[in-house]
Amino acid sequence: MNISEESGGGAGLARLRATVREKWDSLSASERAVAQHLVTAPVESLLFASAQELGSASGTSNASVVRTLQRLDYAGLPALKRELASDFTSSVAPEVRLQQRIAHVGRDLDGIWGEVFDEAQERIEHARRLTPGDALRDAVGILAEAAESGEIHCYGVAASELAARHLALALGRIGCRARHLGETGFALADPLLRLRQGDAVVIFQPGRALAELTVITERARSVGARVILVTDELAELYGPSVDAVLTAPHTPTGITTEALTALVVADALLLALTALDETRAVETSHQLTALREQLLKTKRK
């Protein structure tokens, strides 16, 4: 085994190298070929590579790559990319990452189409595997209780705002009282005054530990509201302070939108709530349709 002992590359790459050294003797020939490629290839090339591309580069196959990653204790390729991306994005300027992303996909439209769909599929499948059924049931139960007697507050800022606004709007369309929270700093104090016992807060925040999250969770606990966190990296930090955690892996490359998996998680919650109270959802949908028709008629006059 010829693996560089150099310390550069960040914690993610260091962990990969250490794991390969530890497990090398137990790997098959094809798994060793994949592992050798993973620890010698440039980090940026790994971030943009699909399992099929890694298989070709290592002279093996897609299946060999998946199997090797499992032997190395990774949940899958997205999990490896996430660890490597943490160090890469903190040390490489955004404009440089953009240039590398452009260089990787090139100008081949078929290639671009494939890259986007491949990463989207990887992230969604990763989210599906990482969220246990118990966590989903807990989250749906919290929202169902809040829908009966309280209000659901959906918090998301920056890239997470899209998922939070989507959930708040769609909840209203199935008959739930819901609103989006997007304030930061002092401005957040006013909407937090509206939190009541029996309410629920859904926080969308993938990785950065914002001060606002601590204030929101403490306020919710003090008034008797419950909190659901949709995140990628903050489960361990905020898990003890919230009632349910759902995993929405962020993008390691920037090829797909940050909000992709959070939107899918939101849709799963919405469908579950719709199924729990079909009568309310259907009646609200009927009212929405009637209002739209009325608005269209008024516009034609």
Side-chain angles (χ1 to χ4, degrees):
M1 177 181 60
N2 180 22
I3 300 175
S4 172
E5 297 289 342
E6 66 185 25
S7 60
L13 185 56
R15 184 222 158 179
L16 172 62
R17 289 170 174 163
T19 303
V20 170
R21 291 191 191 97
E22 176 186 348
K23 297 181 178 290
W24 183 262
D25 291 340
S26 65
L27 299 179
S28 67
S30 61
E31 290 166 351
R32 288 183 178 183
V34 174
Q36 185 71 41
H37 178 71
L38 292 178
V39 297
T40 56
V43 170
E44 57 269 27
S45 70
L46 297 179
L47 293 179
F48 294 111
S50 65
Q52 183 176 355
E53 289 170 336
L54 290 176
S56 298
S58 59
T60 59
S61 66
N62 181 3
S64 294
V65 172
V66 174
R67 188 169 58 250
T68 303
L69 289 170
Q70 292 172 345
R71 294 290 303 276
L72 296 176
D73 300 326
Y74 291 96
L77 183 55
L80 172 63
K81 289 182 177 181
R82 179 175 61 176
E83 286 198 10
L84 297 177
S86 178
D87 301 309
F88 182 72
T89 55
S90 64
S91 61
V92 180
E95 63 272 18
V96 176
R97 299 200 303 271
L98 176 59
Q99 289 174 335
Q100 292 174 338
R101 187 158 68 242
I102 293 171
H104 173 74
V105 299
R107 296 185 178 181
D108 174 25
L109 291 182
D110 290 337
I112 290 172
W113 185 262
E115 290 285 348
V116 172
F117 276 85
D118 286 347
E119 181 175 292
Q121 183 176 3
E122 284 182 355
R123 290 178 61 198
I124 291 172
E125 286 298 325
H126 197 41
R128 186 176 188 172
R129 290 192 301 267
L130 289 178
T131 296
D134 289 345
L136 179 61
R137 281 188 287 272
D138 290 345
V140 172
I142 291 167
L143 294 181
E145 291 179 9
E148 289 297 324
S149 58
E151 187 174 16
I152 300 173
H153 310 256
C154 306
Y155 183 80
V157 297
S160 298
E161 180 178 344
L162 181 60
R165 285 192 179 277
H166 166 66
L167 181 59
L169 178 64
L171 284 169
R173 290 176 174 175
I174 62 171
C176 303
R177 293 178 56 219
R179 66 192 182 101
H180 168 251
L181 297 181
E183 293 84 355
T184 58
F186 285 175
L188 182 58
D190 290 293
L192 288 183
L193 285 175
R194 292 179 54 179
L195 265 181
R196 297 288 185 269
Q197 182 175 2
D199 286 359
V201 183
V202 184
I203 299 174
F204 293 90
Q205 181 60 21
R208 182 170 296 180
L210 303 176
E212 286 81 356
L213 303 191
T214 300
V215 176
I216 292 172
T217 55
E218 290 180 351
R219 172 65 177 175
R221 187 164 53 248
S222 70
V223 300
R226 304 180 74 186
V227 180
I228 300 166
L229 176 63
V230 182
T231 188
D232 184 10
E233 301 175 2
L234 301 179
E236 184 175 351
L237 179 61
Y238 289 100
S241 304
V242 303
D243 300 282
V245 177
L246 303 178
T247 303
H250 59 59
T251 171
T253 64
I255 289 176
T256 53
T257 179
E258 187 68 73
L260 174 65
T261 49
L263 287 166
V264 174
V265 169
D267 283 339
L269 295 173
L270 287 164
L271 183 57
L273 285 176
T274 301
L276 287 176
D277 197 336
E278 181 180 351
T279 301
R280 179 183 61 199
V282 171
E283 174 57 28
T284 305
S285 178
H286 173 73
Q287 293 180 33
L288 179 63
T289 300
L291 287 169
R292 287 171 170 172
E293 291 176 349
Q294 184 179 352
L295 289 167
L296 287 173
K297 290 178 182 177
T298 303
K299 187 176 181 180
R300 293 193 194 102
K301 292 181 180 179

